[in-house]
Amino acid sequence: MPLIAVVGAQWGDEGKGKVVDLLAEKADLVVRFSGGPNAGHTVSNPYGEFRLHLVPSGIFYPHTRCLIGNGVVVSPAVLLEELEHLQKKGVDTSRLSISTRAHLIMPYHTLLDKLEEEARGSKALGTTRSGVGPAYMDKVARLGIRAGELLDKEGLLQRLRFVLEQKNILLTKVYGAPPLSLEEVYDQYCQYGDCLAPFICETEPIIKEALEREEIILLEGAQGTLLDIDFGTYPYVTSSSPVAAGAFVGLGLSPKRIDYILGVCKAYTTRVGGGPMPTELGDETGESIRQIAHEYGATTGRPRRCGWFDAVAARFSAYINSFNGVALTRLDVLDTFASIKVCTGYKVNGDIIDQFPSSSAVLQRCQPIYEEIPGWQSPTTHLRHFEALPPLAQSYIKRLEELIACPISLVSVGPRREQTIIVRPIL
Ligand code: GDP
Ligand code: IMO
Ligand code: MG
Protein backbone atom coordinates (compact mmCIF):
# COMPACT_ATOMS: atom_id res chain seq x y z
CA MET A 1 0.00 0.00 0.00
CA PRO A 2 2.53 2.62 -1.01
CA LEU A 3 0.51 5.82 -1.56
CA ILE A 4 -1.93 6.87 1.13
CA ALA A 5 -3.85 10.14 1.36
CA VAL A 6 -5.06 11.39 4.75
CA VAL A 7 -7.94 13.79 4.21
CA GLY A 8 -10.18 15.81 6.54
CA ALA A 9 -13.79 14.64 6.23
CA GLN A 10 -15.52 17.50 8.08
CA TRP A 11 -14.72 21.21 8.58
CA GLY A 12 -11.05 20.72 9.50
CA ASP A 13 -9.34 19.98 12.83
CA GLU A 14 -10.38 16.35 12.70
CA GLY A 15 -7.00 15.19 14.05
CA LYS A 16 -5.12 14.79 10.76
CA GLY A 17 -1.85 15.79 12.48
CA LYS A 18 -2.17 13.01 15.04
CA VAL A 19 -3.06 10.40 12.41
CA VAL A 20 -0.21 11.42 10.08
CA ASP A 21 2.30 11.49 12.97
CA LEU A 22 1.21 7.94 13.80
CA LEU A 23 1.24 6.54 10.26
CA ALA A 24 4.47 8.35 9.32
CA GLU A 25 6.45 5.87 11.39
CA LYS A 26 6.33 3.53 8.41
CA ALA A 27 6.48 6.21 5.69
CA ASP A 28 9.44 7.21 3.55
CA LEU A 29 7.91 10.47 2.36
CA VAL A 30 5.26 12.73 3.95
CA VAL A 31 3.85 15.46 1.75
CA ARG A 32 1.55 18.47 2.16
CA PHE A 33 -0.39 19.20 -1.04
CA SER A 34 -2.83 22.02 -0.26
CA GLY A 35 -3.64 24.90 2.06
CA GLY A 36 -1.07 26.96 3.87
CA PRO A 37 -0.47 28.38 7.32
CA ASN A 38 -4.25 28.39 7.90
CA ALA A 39 -3.70 24.74 8.87
CA GLY A 40 -2.89 23.92 12.47
CA HIS A 41 -1.98 20.27 12.93
CA THR A 42 -1.42 19.25 16.52
CA VAL A 43 1.09 16.52 17.08
CA SER A 44 1.78 15.14 20.53
CA ASN A 45 4.78 12.82 20.62
CA PRO A 46 7.99 12.19 22.58
CA TYR A 47 9.44 15.51 21.28
CA GLY A 48 6.57 17.46 22.90
CA GLU A 49 3.37 19.04 21.64
CA PHE A 50 3.53 20.92 18.33
CA ARG A 51 1.06 22.89 16.23
CA LEU A 52 2.36 22.54 12.70
CA HIS A 53 1.14 25.03 10.12
CA LEU A 54 3.33 24.20 7.13
CA VAL A 55 5.85 21.51 7.99
CA PRO A 56 4.43 18.01 7.30
CA SER A 57 3.68 15.98 10.43
CA GLY A 58 6.21 13.31 9.38
CA ILE A 59 9.17 15.54 10.33
CA PHE A 60 9.73 13.73 13.66
CA TYR A 61 11.05 10.48 12.17
CA PRO A 62 14.72 10.53 11.14
CA HIS A 63 14.06 8.19 8.19
CA THR A 64 11.18 10.22 6.73
CA ARG A 65 11.61 12.90 4.05
CA CYS A 66 9.07 15.71 4.11
CA LEU A 67 7.89 17.79 1.24
CA ILE A 68 5.79 20.93 0.79
CA GLY A 69 4.14 20.51 -2.60
CA ASN A 70 3.27 23.02 -5.31
CA GLY A 71 -0.36 23.18 -4.16
CA VAL A 72 0.59 24.74 -0.83
CA VAL A 73 0.87 28.50 -0.29
CA VAL A 74 3.89 29.16 1.89
CA SER A 75 4.41 32.01 4.32
CA PRO A 76 8.21 32.22 4.67
CA ALA A 77 7.82 33.99 8.03
CA VAL A 78 5.57 31.27 9.49
CA LEU A 79 7.71 28.49 8.02
CA LEU A 80 10.99 29.88 9.35
CA GLU A 81 9.50 30.33 12.82
CA GLU A 82 8.18 26.78 12.73
CA LEU A 83 11.54 25.38 11.62
CA GLU A 84 13.33 27.29 14.37
CA HIS A 85 10.93 25.96 16.99
CA LEU A 86 11.34 22.38 15.77
CA GLN A 87 15.13 22.70 15.72
CA LYS A 88 15.10 24.06 19.29
CA LYS A 89 13.17 20.98 20.36
CA GLY A 90 15.83 18.74 18.81
CA VAL A 91 13.95 17.84 15.63
CA ASP A 92 16.12 17.50 12.52
CA THR A 93 14.49 19.59 9.79
CA SER A 94 17.12 19.05 7.10
CA ARG A 95 14.97 16.44 5.31
CA LEU A 96 12.38 19.05 4.29
CA SER A 97 11.99 20.15 0.68
CA ILE A 98 9.81 22.94 -0.70
CA SER A 99 8.55 22.88 -4.27
CA THR A 100 9.90 25.64 -6.51
CA ARG A 101 6.30 25.89 -7.76
CA ALA A 102 4.71 26.57 -4.34
CA HIS A 103 3.30 30.09 -4.17
CA LEU A 104 4.43 32.52 -1.50
CA ILE A 105 2.27 34.45 0.90
CA MET A 106 3.40 38.06 0.62
CA PRO A 107 2.81 40.88 3.14
CA TYR A 108 0.00 42.31 0.96
CA HIS A 109 -1.83 38.97 1.13
CA THR A 110 -2.05 39.03 4.91
CA LEU A 111 -3.03 42.69 4.84
CA LEU A 112 -5.72 42.09 2.21
CA ASP A 113 -7.09 39.04 4.07
CA LYS A 114 -7.73 41.32 7.06
CA LEU A 115 -9.05 44.27 5.00
CA GLU A 116 -11.37 42.06 2.92
CA GLU A 117 -12.75 40.42 6.06
CA GLU A 118 -13.37 43.83 7.66
CA ALA A 119 -15.08 45.03 4.46
CA ARG A 120 -17.43 42.02 4.53
CA GLY A 121 -18.80 43.24 7.86
CA SER A 122 -21.55 40.93 9.12
CA LYS A 123 -20.90 38.64 6.13
CA ALA A 124 -17.29 37.99 7.17
CA LEU A 125 -16.16 34.44 6.42
CA GLY A 126 -14.13 34.16 9.60
CA THR A 127 -10.89 33.40 7.78
CA THR A 128 -7.70 32.67 9.68
CA ARG A 129 -6.36 35.97 8.28
CA SER A 130 -3.16 34.25 7.31
CA GLY A 131 -3.27 35.57 3.72
CA VAL A 132 -4.15 32.19 2.24
CA GLY A 133 -7.22 33.32 0.26
CA PRO A 134 -5.52 36.35 -1.36
CA ALA A 135 -2.42 34.23 -2.18
CA TYR A 136 -4.55 31.66 -4.05
CA MET A 137 -6.38 34.54 -5.78
CA ASP A 138 -3.05 35.81 -7.10
CA LYS A 139 -2.00 32.32 -8.18
CA VAL A 140 -5.08 32.05 -10.38
CA ALA A 141 -4.76 35.69 -11.50
CA ARG A 142 -1.19 34.88 -12.57
CA LEU A 143 0.18 37.51 -10.22
CA GLY A 144 1.68 35.09 -7.73
CA ILE A 145 5.32 34.84 -6.72
CA ARG A 146 6.63 31.31 -6.34
CA ALA A 147 9.22 29.84 -3.98
CA GLY A 148 11.59 29.20 -6.89
CA GLU A 149 11.69 32.94 -7.61
CA LEU A 150 13.44 33.50 -4.27
CA LEU A 151 16.48 31.87 -5.84
CA ASP A 152 16.79 34.56 -8.54
CA LYS A 153 17.07 37.94 -6.82
CA GLU A 154 17.21 40.04 -9.99
CA GLY A 155 14.12 38.32 -11.40
CA LEU A 156 12.37 38.63 -8.04
CA LEU A 157 12.89 42.40 -8.00
CA GLN A 158 11.32 42.76 -11.45
CA ARG A 159 8.29 40.60 -10.62
CA LEU A 160 7.79 42.26 -7.26
CA ARG A 161 8.01 45.76 -8.77
CA PHE A 162 5.25 44.87 -11.25
CA VAL A 163 2.97 43.11 -8.74
CA LEU A 164 3.45 45.57 -5.88
CA GLU A 165 2.49 48.49 -8.10
CA GLN A 166 -0.92 46.85 -8.63
CA LYS A 167 -1.29 45.82 -5.00
CA ASN A 168 -0.50 49.34 -3.79
CA ILE A 169 -3.25 50.74 -6.01
CA LEU A 170 -5.65 48.25 -4.41
CA LEU A 171 -4.43 48.97 -0.88
CA THR A 172 -4.51 52.76 -1.18
CA LYS A 173 -7.41 53.42 -3.57
CA VAL A 174 -9.86 50.71 -2.52
CA TYR A 175 -9.03 50.22 1.15
CA GLY A 176 -7.46 53.60 2.03
CA ALA A 177 -4.49 51.77 3.54
CA PRO A 178 -0.86 52.94 3.32
CA PRO A 179 1.19 51.51 0.43
CA LEU A 180 3.93 48.93 0.98
CA SER A 181 7.54 49.82 0.24
CA LEU A 182 9.12 47.86 -2.62
CA GLU A 183 12.53 48.13 -1.00
CA GLU A 184 11.36 46.79 2.36
CA VAL A 185 9.38 43.88 0.92
CA TYR A 186 12.21 43.03 -1.48
CA ASP A 187 14.88 43.10 1.25
CA GLN A 188 12.77 40.97 3.53
CA TYR A 189 12.07 38.36 0.85
CA CYS A 190 15.76 38.30 -0.16
CA GLN A 191 16.55 37.41 3.45
CA TYR A 192 13.85 34.74 3.47
CA GLY A 193 15.29 33.44 0.22
CA ASP A 194 18.76 33.12 1.79
CA CYS A 195 17.32 31.14 4.71
CA LEU A 196 15.04 28.91 2.62
CA ALA A 197 17.36 28.30 -0.36
CA PRO A 198 18.65 24.97 1.04
CA PHE A 199 15.06 23.64 1.10
CA ILE A 200 13.71 24.90 -2.24
CA CYS A 201 14.04 22.46 -5.12
CA GLU A 202 12.23 20.70 -7.95
CA THR A 203 10.14 18.25 -5.97
CA GLU A 204 8.62 16.25 -8.85
CA PRO A 205 11.73 14.03 -9.21
CA ILE A 206 11.64 13.27 -5.46
CA ILE A 207 8.10 11.92 -5.74
CA LYS A 208 8.83 10.16 -9.02
CA GLU A 209 11.82 8.34 -7.54
CA ALA A 210 9.91 7.41 -4.39
CA LEU A 211 7.15 5.93 -6.56
CA GLU A 212 9.67 4.01 -8.64
CA ARG A 213 11.23 2.58 -5.49
CA GLU A 214 7.71 1.68 -4.25
CA GLU A 215 8.33 3.63 -1.08
CA ILE A 216 5.52 4.44 1.31
CA ILE A 217 4.23 7.95 0.63
CA LEU A 218 1.77 9.72 2.90
CA LEU A 219 -0.18 12.68 1.58
CA GLU A 220 -1.15 14.95 4.46
CA GLY A 221 -4.37 16.81 3.77
CA ALA A 222 -5.12 20.15 5.37
CA GLN A 223 -8.53 21.69 6.18
CA GLY A 224 -11.48 19.41 5.40
CA THR A 225 -13.81 18.36 2.62
CA LEU A 226 -16.61 20.67 3.79
CA LEU A 227 -14.20 23.62 3.44
CA ASP A 228 -13.31 22.66 -0.13
CA ILE A 229 -13.61 25.51 -2.65
CA ASP A 230 -15.94 23.40 -4.85
CA PHE A 231 -17.59 20.89 -2.53
CA GLY A 232 -17.62 22.81 0.74
CA THR A 233 -20.25 25.16 2.11
CA TYR A 234 -19.50 27.93 -0.41
CA PRO A 235 -18.73 30.80 0.14
CA TYR A 236 -17.83 29.78 3.71
CA VAL A 237 -14.89 27.74 2.52
CA THR A 238 -11.15 27.98 2.13
CA SER A 239 -9.55 28.87 -1.21
CA SER A 240 -8.03 25.49 -2.08
CA SER A 241 -9.01 21.86 -2.72
CA PRO A 242 -8.50 19.86 0.48
CA VAL A 243 -10.27 16.83 -1.05
CA ALA A 244 -8.16 13.83 -2.10
CA ALA A 245 -8.32 14.91 -5.75
CA GLY A 246 -6.48 18.10 -4.72
CA ALA A 247 -3.39 15.98 -4.14
CA PHE A 248 -3.04 15.24 -7.84
CA VAL A 249 -2.67 18.85 -8.94
CA GLY A 250 -1.16 19.87 -5.62
CA LEU A 251 1.81 17.57 -6.18
CA GLY A 252 1.96 16.68 -9.85
CA LEU A 253 0.67 13.16 -9.31
CA SER A 254 -1.45 11.09 -11.65
CA PRO A 255 -4.91 10.01 -10.37
CA LYS A 256 -3.84 6.47 -11.28
CA ARG A 257 -1.31 6.47 -8.46
CA ILE A 258 -3.28 6.65 -5.22
CA ASP A 259 -3.80 3.39 -3.33
CA TYR A 260 -5.71 4.26 -0.19
CA ILE A 261 -7.71 7.31 0.91
CA LEU A 262 -8.20 7.66 4.64
CA GLY A 263 -10.87 10.12 5.76
CA VAL A 264 -10.38 11.62 9.20
CA CYS A 265 -13.58 12.29 11.17
CA LYS A 266 -14.14 13.40 14.71
CA ALA A 267 -16.68 11.34 16.65
CA TYR A 268 -18.72 14.58 16.74
CA THR A 269 -18.54 17.80 14.68
CA THR A 270 -16.72 21.10 15.03
CA ARG A 271 -16.29 24.14 12.87
CA VAL A 272 -14.35 27.43 13.24
CA GLY A 273 -15.38 30.54 11.35
CA GLY A 274 -18.68 31.36 9.66
CA GLY A 275 -21.08 29.25 7.62
CA PRO A 276 -23.83 26.71 8.17
CA MET A 277 -23.40 23.76 10.52
CA PRO A 278 -26.70 21.91 10.98
CA THR A 279 -25.73 19.99 14.13
CA GLU A 280 -24.24 22.96 16.00
CA LEU A 281 -25.27 22.97 19.67
CA GLY A 282 -25.67 26.43 21.16
CA ASP A 283 -26.58 24.93 24.55
CA GLU A 284 -24.70 23.48 27.51
CA THR A 285 -24.09 20.20 25.68
CA GLY A 286 -22.13 22.11 23.01
CA GLU A 287 -20.26 23.93 25.76
CA SER A 288 -19.50 20.60 27.52
CA ILE A 289 -17.97 19.20 24.32
CA ARG A 290 -15.89 22.39 23.91
CA GLN A 291 -14.62 22.21 27.48
CA ILE A 292 -13.98 18.45 27.62
CA ALA A 293 -12.23 18.46 24.26
CA HIS A 294 -10.67 21.90 24.66
CA GLU A 295 -12.04 22.88 21.26
CA TYR A 296 -10.16 26.08 20.52
CA GLY A 297 -8.47 26.71 17.16
CA ALA A 298 -4.84 25.54 16.84
CA THR A 299 -4.05 28.48 14.51
CA THR A 300 -6.18 31.34 15.85
CA GLY A 301 -7.23 30.26 19.36
CA ARG A 302 -10.88 30.92 18.44
CA PRO A 303 -13.49 28.75 20.23
CA ARG A 304 -14.67 26.03 17.85
CA ARG A 305 -18.39 25.57 17.26
CA CYS A 306 -19.35 22.12 18.53
CA GLY A 307 -22.18 19.69 17.77
CA TRP A 308 -23.17 16.08 17.25
CA PHE A 309 -21.86 13.86 14.46
CA ASP A 310 -23.42 14.73 11.11
CA ALA A 311 -23.68 11.51 9.12
CA VAL A 312 -25.25 13.28 6.10
CA ALA A 313 -22.14 15.44 5.78
CA ALA A 314 -19.76 12.54 6.46
CA ARG A 315 -21.44 10.33 3.86
CA PHE A 316 -21.10 13.15 1.31
CA SER A 317 -17.39 13.43 2.15
CA ALA A 318 -16.93 9.68 1.84
CA TYR A 319 -18.45 9.81 -1.64
CA ILE A 320 -16.54 12.89 -2.88
CA ASN A 321 -13.22 11.42 -1.73
CA SER A 322 -14.05 7.75 -2.18
CA PHE A 323 -12.64 6.89 1.22
CA ASN A 324 -11.23 3.39 1.61
CA GLY A 325 -11.41 3.80 5.35
CA VAL A 326 -12.15 6.30 8.10
CA ALA A 327 -10.02 7.28 11.10
CA LEU A 328 -12.51 8.15 13.83
CA THR A 329 -10.83 10.51 16.30
CA ARG A 330 -11.68 11.88 19.73
CA LEU A 331 -14.00 9.05 20.67
CA ASP A 332 -12.87 9.57 24.29
CA VAL A 333 -14.46 13.03 24.31
CA LEU A 334 -17.87 11.32 24.37
CA ASP A 335 -16.96 9.03 27.30
CA THR A 336 -19.06 10.87 29.88
CA PHE A 337 -22.25 11.51 27.91
CA ALA A 338 -25.35 9.56 28.99
CA SER A 339 -26.82 9.92 25.55
CA ILE A 340 -25.25 10.74 22.19
CA LYS A 341 -27.01 11.96 19.07
CA VAL A 342 -26.19 11.34 15.43
CA CYS A 343 -27.74 13.31 12.59
CA THR A 344 -29.09 10.93 9.96
CA GLY A 345 -31.04 13.35 7.76
CA TYR A 346 -32.23 16.93 7.47
CA LYS A 347 -35.67 18.45 7.55
CA VAL A 348 -35.94 21.42 5.18
CA ASN A 349 -38.97 23.24 3.75
CA GLY A 350 -41.22 20.42 5.00
CA ASP A 351 -39.16 17.74 3.22
CA ILE A 352 -36.83 15.16 4.67
CA ILE A 353 -33.54 14.84 2.79
CA ASP A 354 -30.46 12.69 3.25
CA GLN A 355 -28.28 14.46 0.67
CA PHE A 356 -25.86 17.24 1.59
CA PRO A 357 -27.18 20.32 -0.26
CA SER A 358 -24.86 22.41 -2.44
CA SER A 359 -26.41 25.68 -1.27
CA SER A 360 -25.28 27.18 2.03
CA ALA A 361 -28.59 29.06 2.20
CA VAL A 362 -30.46 25.73 2.08
CA LEU A 363 -28.07 24.08 4.52
CA GLN A 364 -28.59 26.99 6.89
CA ARG A 365 -32.30 26.15 6.98
CA CYS A 366 -31.76 22.40 7.47
CA GLN A 367 -32.91 21.02 10.80
CA PRO A 368 -31.06 17.88 11.88
CA ILE A 369 -32.98 14.66 12.34
CA TYR A 370 -31.35 12.78 15.18
CA GLU A 371 -30.99 9.21 16.17
CA GLU A 372 -30.29 8.89 19.90
CA ILE A 373 -27.73 6.38 21.03
CA PRO A 374 -27.03 5.50 24.69
CA GLY A 375 -23.60 6.63 25.90
CA TRP A 376 -21.09 4.12 27.32
CA GLN A 377 -20.13 6.36 30.25
CA SER A 378 -16.77 4.83 30.95
CA PRO A 379 -13.21 5.86 30.03
CA THR A 380 -11.77 4.64 26.72
CA THR A 381 -8.53 6.60 26.55
CA HIS A 382 -6.42 3.70 27.92
CA LEU A 383 -7.93 1.05 25.60
CA ARG A 384 -6.01 -0.35 22.61
CA HIS A 385 -8.28 -3.01 21.09
CA PHE A 386 -11.70 -2.70 19.52
CA GLU A 387 -13.04 -5.64 21.55
CA ALA A 388 -11.88 -3.94 24.77
CA LEU A 389 -14.11 -0.93 24.10
CA PRO A 390 -17.40 -0.81 26.06
CA PRO A 391 -20.10 -2.58 23.99
CA LEU A 392 -22.05 0.68 23.61
CA ALA A 393 -18.94 2.39 22.19
CA GLN A 394 -18.54 -0.50 19.76
CA SER A 395 -22.20 -0.10 18.73
CA TYR A 396 -21.68 3.65 18.20
CA ILE A 397 -18.70 3.00 15.92
CA LYS A 398 -20.56 0.31 13.97
CA ARG A 399 -23.58 2.58 13.54
CA LEU A 400 -21.36 5.39 12.20
CA GLU A 401 -19.76 2.89 9.81
CA GLU A 402 -23.21 1.99 8.46
CA LEU A 403 -24.30 5.60 8.14
CA ILE A 404 -21.10 6.81 6.45
CA ALA A 405 -21.08 3.66 4.30
CA CYS A 406 -17.36 3.22 4.86
CA PRO A 407 -15.33 0.97 7.16
CA ILE A 408 -13.73 2.59 10.21
CA SER A 409 -10.09 1.53 10.09
CA LEU A 410 -8.73 3.36 13.06
CA VAL A 411 -10.20 4.76 16.29
CA SER A 412 -8.33 7.43 18.19
CA VAL A 413 -8.89 7.69 21.96
CA GLY A 414 -6.37 10.38 22.87
CA PRO A 415 -3.94 12.87 21.32
CA ARG A 416 -0.82 10.70 21.61
CA ARG A 417 0.39 8.19 19.02
CA GLU A 418 -0.18 5.16 21.21
CA GLN A 419 -3.75 6.19 22.08
CA THR A 420 -5.02 4.49 18.96
CA ILE A 421 -7.02 1.39 18.16
CA ILE A 422 -6.22 -0.14 14.79
CA VAL A 423 -9.43 -1.82 13.69
CA ARG A 424 -8.19 -2.70 10.20
CA PRO A 425 -4.52 -2.26 9.34
CA ILE A 426 -3.80 0.51 6.81
CA LEU A 427 -0.08 -0.04 6.41
P1 GDP B 1 -5.93 18.74 12.52
O1 GDP B 1 -5.93 20.15 12.06
O2 GDP B 1 -6.87 17.88 11.75
O3 GDP B 1 -4.56 18.14 12.59
O4 GDP B 1 -6.52 18.76 14.01
P2 GDP B 1 -6.11 19.82 15.17
O5 GDP B 1 -4.74 19.51 15.62
O6 GDP B 1 -6.41 21.20 14.75
O7 GDP B 1 -7.18 19.45 16.27
C1 GDP B 1 -7.29 18.17 16.78
C2 GDP B 1 -7.09 18.21 18.29
O8 GDP B 1 -7.50 16.99 18.83
C3 GDP B 1 -5.65 18.39 18.72
O9 GDP B 1 -5.63 19.12 19.91
C4 GDP B 1 -5.19 16.95 18.97
O10 GDP B 1 -4.13 16.86 19.92
C5 GDP B 1 -6.43 16.36 19.54
N1 GDP B 1 -6.65 14.94 19.31
C6 GDP B 1 -6.44 14.19 18.20
N2 GDP B 1 -6.94 12.95 18.36
C7 GDP B 1 -7.49 12.92 19.59
C8 GDP B 1 -8.21 11.92 20.31
O11 GDP B 1 -8.46 10.82 19.85
N3 GDP B 1 -8.66 12.28 21.56
C9 GDP B 1 -8.43 13.49 22.10
N4 GDP B 1 -8.90 13.74 23.31
N5 GDP B 1 -7.76 14.45 21.43
C10 GDP B 1 -7.31 14.16 20.20
P1 IMO C 1 -6.68 22.30 9.58
O1 IMO C 1 -5.71 21.84 8.52
C1 IMO C 1 -10.35 24.41 10.57
C2 IMO C 1 -11.48 27.78 7.97
C3 IMO C 1 -11.44 29.14 8.63
C4 IMO C 1 -12.56 29.82 7.86
C5 IMO C 1 -12.39 29.26 6.45
C6 IMO C 1 -11.61 30.17 5.51
O2 IMO C 1 -6.05 22.65 10.88
O3 IMO C 1 -7.81 21.35 9.69
P2 IMO C 1 -9.01 30.69 5.32
O4 IMO C 1 -8.04 31.30 6.30
O5 IMO C 1 -8.63 29.33 4.87
O6 IMO C 1 -9.30 31.61 4.16
O7 IMO C 1 -10.40 30.58 6.13
O8 IMO C 1 -11.71 28.03 6.59
N1 IMO C 1 -10.22 27.00 8.08
C7 IMO C 1 -10.03 25.97 8.94
N2 IMO C 1 -10.83 25.47 9.89
N3 IMO C 1 -9.14 23.84 10.33
C8 IMO C 1 -8.34 24.31 9.35
O9 IMO C 1 -7.21 23.71 8.99
C9 IMO C 1 -8.77 25.45 8.62
N4 IMO C 1 -8.21 26.18 7.63
C10 IMO C 1 -9.11 27.11 7.30
O10 IMO C 1 -11.71 29.06 10.01
O11 IMO C 1 -13.80 29.38 8.33
MG1 MG D 1 -6.24 22.07 12.83
Side-chain angles (χ1 to χ4, degrees), residues 12-17 38-42 52 223 272 296-299 304:
D13 302 328
E14 298 90 347
K16 299 174 292 293
N38 48 353
H41 295 181
T42 314
L52 300 173
Q223 287 76 55
V272 238
Y296 294 89
T299 301
R304 293 175 181 150

Side-chain angles (χ1 to χ4, degrees), residues 11-13 16 38-41 125-130 222-223 227 237-238 272-274 302:
W11 278 286
D13 302 328
K16 299 174 292 293
N38 48 353
H41 295 181
L125 305 176
T127 74
T128 57
R129 300 193 178 199
S130 48
Q223 287 76 55
L227 288 170
V237 291
T238 191
V272 238
R302 289 178 291 176

Side-chain angles (χ1 to χ4, degrees), residues 68-91:
I68 296 178
N70 58 280
V72 177
V73 287
V74 176
S75 158
V78 172
L79 179 58
L80 287 168
E81 202 184 313
E82 201 162 298
L83 288 172
E84 196 188 322
H85 180 66
L86 285 162
Q87 284 154 9
K88 269 194 197 143
K89 294 278 186 171
V91 182

Side-chain angles (χ1 to χ4, degrees), residues 185-208:
V185 177
Y186 176 67
D187 285 350
Q188 184 169 55
Y189 276 69
C190 282
Q191 280 178 34
Y192 290 151
D194 292 340
C195 298
L196 292 176
F199 300 100
I200 300 170
C201 64
E202 309 272 326
T203 49
E204 297 78 20
I206 301 177
I207 298 179
K208 182 171 177 282

Side-chain angles (χ1 to χ4, degrees), residues 68-271:
I68 296 178
N70 58 280
V72 177
V73 287
V74 176
S75 158
V78 172
L79 179 58
L80 287 168
E81 202 184 313
E82 201 162 298
L83 288 172
E84 196 188 322
H85 180 66
L86 285 162
Q87 284 154 9
K88 269 194 197 143
K89 294 278 186 171
V91 182
D92 172 19
T93 56
S94 64
R95 291 156 292 106
L96 176 73
S97 302
I98 305 163
S99 167
T100 46
R101 297 174 201 265
H103 280 247
L104 297 177
I105 296 185
M106 306 298 291
Y108 41 83
H109 293 138
T110 350
L111 261 175
L112 286 166
D113 202 349
K114 175 176 166 281
L115 293 167
E116 285 168 5
E117 273 290 87
E118 282 166 5
R120 287 185 192 110
S122 64
K123 294 190 172 55
L125 305 176
T127 74
T128 57
R129 300 193 178 199
S130 48
V132 165
Y136 279 116
M137 282 162 70
D138 274 359
K139 173 176 179 174
V140 181
R142 293 162 290 187
L143 281 174
I145 295 179
R146 308 203 292 185
E149 292 180 69
L150 292 177
L151 307 179
D152 164 19
K153 287 187 178 153
E154 187 46 44
L156 176 67
L157 181 60
Q158 286 179 27
R159 289 286 326 284
L160 193 58
R161 183 177 288 123
F162 174 74
V163 176
L164 198 58
E165 210 172 294
Q166 302 194 35
K167 294 297 164 188
N168 275 338
I169 294 173
L170 187 62
L171 285 171
T172 56
K173 302 262 192 289
V174 176
Y175 293 104
L180 291 170
S181 141
L182 173 65
E183 205 186 349
E184 281 176 25
V185 177
Y186 176 67
D187 285 350
Q188 184 169 55
Y189 276 69
C190 282
Q191 280 178 34
Y192 290 151
D194 292 340
C195 298
L196 292 176
F199 300 100
I200 300 170
C201 64
E202 309 272 326
T203 49
E204 297 78 20
I206 301 177
I207 298 179
K208 182 171 177 282
E209 281 162 28
L211 285 168
E212 281 164 3
R213 286 197 292 262
E214 298 201 356
E215 290 182 353
I216 295 176
I217 307 175
L218 265 186
L219 311 180
E220 176 175 353
Q223 287 76 55
T225 300
L226 306 178
L227 288 170
D228 183 87
I229 186 78
D230 286 283
F231 299 104
T233 46
Y234 195 87
Y236 299 95
V237 291
T238 191
S239 298
S240 64
S241 303
V243 292
F248 304 127
V249 277
L251 291 175
L253 201 67
S254 160
K256 287 197 279 192
R257 292 292 192 168
I258 218 148
D259 296 294
Y260 190 101
I261 303 173
L262 181 69
V264 188
C265 273
K266 272 180 190 170
Y268 50 94
T269 308
T270 63
R271 173 164 206 173

Side-chain angles (χ1 to χ4, degrees), residues 364-408:
Q364 189 70 54
R365 289 196 300 274
C366 283
Q367 293 299 317
I369 299 170
Y370 284 124
E371 188 173 294
E372 202 156 344
I373 294 169
W376 46 94
Q377 293 189 281
S378 71
T380 55
T381 201
H382 60 290
L383 302 174
R384 301 291 175 263
H385 300 284
F386 184 78
E387 294 71 28
L389 284 168
L392 287 172
Q394 293 186 25
S395 311
Y396 182 66
I397 294 166
K398 285 184 184 150
R399 184 65 184 131
L400 294 193
E401 237 172 17
E402 267 169 30
L403 289 167
I404 311 170
C406 182
I408 290 176

